[in-house]
Amino acid sequence: MAKPPVSENLTTLSVHLAARKPSVAPELASVIEAIALAGKSIARKVRRARIEDVLGQVGHTNVQGEAQEKLDVLSNDLMLHCLSECPAVGVCASEEEDEAVVVRPRSDGGAYAVLFDPLDGSSNINVAVGVGTIFSILPNDLPDERTAEAVLQPGSRQVAAGYVLYGSSVLLVLTTGDGVSMYVLDPELGDFVLVEPSLRLPAERKIYSLNEAYRRDFPAGYNRYLDWTHENGYAARYIGSMVADVHRTLLKGGVFLYPPTAVNPDGKLRLLYEANPMAFVVEQAGGVAAVGGRRILEISPEALHQRTPVILGSPVEVDHVTRHLAD
Ligand code: AHM
Ligand code: MG
């Protein structure tokens, strides 16, 4: 029998999270719902960007020396507001904030640390390309005076992670450590509804996704890999917005890479709120995320905004990359 359309078989994000109790604690569900609320609000800002005159730069840079877009700042404020209103949030960290933002200690209910990139890919926003909010949720089990340190944990300690993609539709992709679910925002209902309870990444697909214009600066192994792909019928796909590129990789398969370059010897992407949450999602969908011979999730962070090279995607395709890097 044909599956009924989602519109006749609705499961909202809240209902889906509640149904997964006790593996998804109600407090954790409340944090995810706070992120979903911020995501809906950011989606509205992104949609109306040209109408409300919120395109363009604010005229200063963030801690990493990158020009902040007006929408970066708005999205950051919305995330911080929704998360600090949620009683289970202890501390937040954001690409747009220099330091961790302590909200409430463990003794006052702050059981989770939430790290995020409020609007990844925002330099593409003026051309209406897909952008997104990436988030990582960690437990906060530290004594009250050390709450800020809860943001510095390896990705293997994440209890949930995912992203909201503001594309031709608004999607929430989420893992709580038992597979990956995908929800779509029904703009008329104003709710995220379940469209895929168990996403699986194809085991192989001849697609690579990286900024090939930098190849003269890549370590030699990446160039050996690229030469090999050119001889073996691969397609290149690169949007330049990590959420959109990783999302395509998740659905269609292939490999997404951000190698070290001369300008960014540790790669460009940030470990804690870009690489780790994407690595958790990809692994939970049956993929691999590894650099330098170890899982991204096993890297011990030393600094909030530290960068890491990224290789993630279909297991067979990640193997091809690492084989060439090792040669
Ligand atoms: P951002 O967080 O400042 O938006 O930067 C991260 C973005 C990613 O979305 C994307 O993968 C990467 O930068 C693209 O970088 P490049 O233009 O060097 O290819
Ligand atoms: Mg980013």
Side-chain angles (χ1 to χ4, degrees), residues 189-246:
L189 296 177
D191 249 326
F192 281 104
V193 295
L194 184 67
V195 285
E196 179 52 69
S198 183
L199 266 180
R200 298 302 291 171
L201 197 152
E204 59 186 299
R205 183 81 188 259
K206 290 186 171 193
I207 301 175
Y208 67 84
S209 181
L210 91 173
N211 194 332
E212 202 162 351
Y214 304 150
R215 78 175 279 182
R216 280 169 52 155
D217 283 345
F218 293 158
Y222 288 93
N223 280 308
R224 286 194 294 272
Y225 168 72
L226 286 171
D227 289 340
W228 176 85
T229 59
H230 293 184
E231 288 155 13
N232 283 277
Y234 273 68
R237 293 284 183 275
Y238 191 68
I239 296 166
S241 178
M242 186 194 200
V243 177
D245 281 314
V246 170

Side-chain angles (χ1 to χ4, degrees), residues 27 30-31 86-91 104-112 140 144:
E27 292 77 20
S30 72
V31 178
C86 171
V89 174
V91 55
R104 61 182 70 72
R106 183 82 183 85
S107 63
D108 198 18
Y112 296 99
N140 168 31
D144 288 4

Side-chain angles (χ1 to χ4, degrees), residues 77 272 275 280 289 296:
D77 291 350
L272 291 173
F280 193 21
I296 288 174

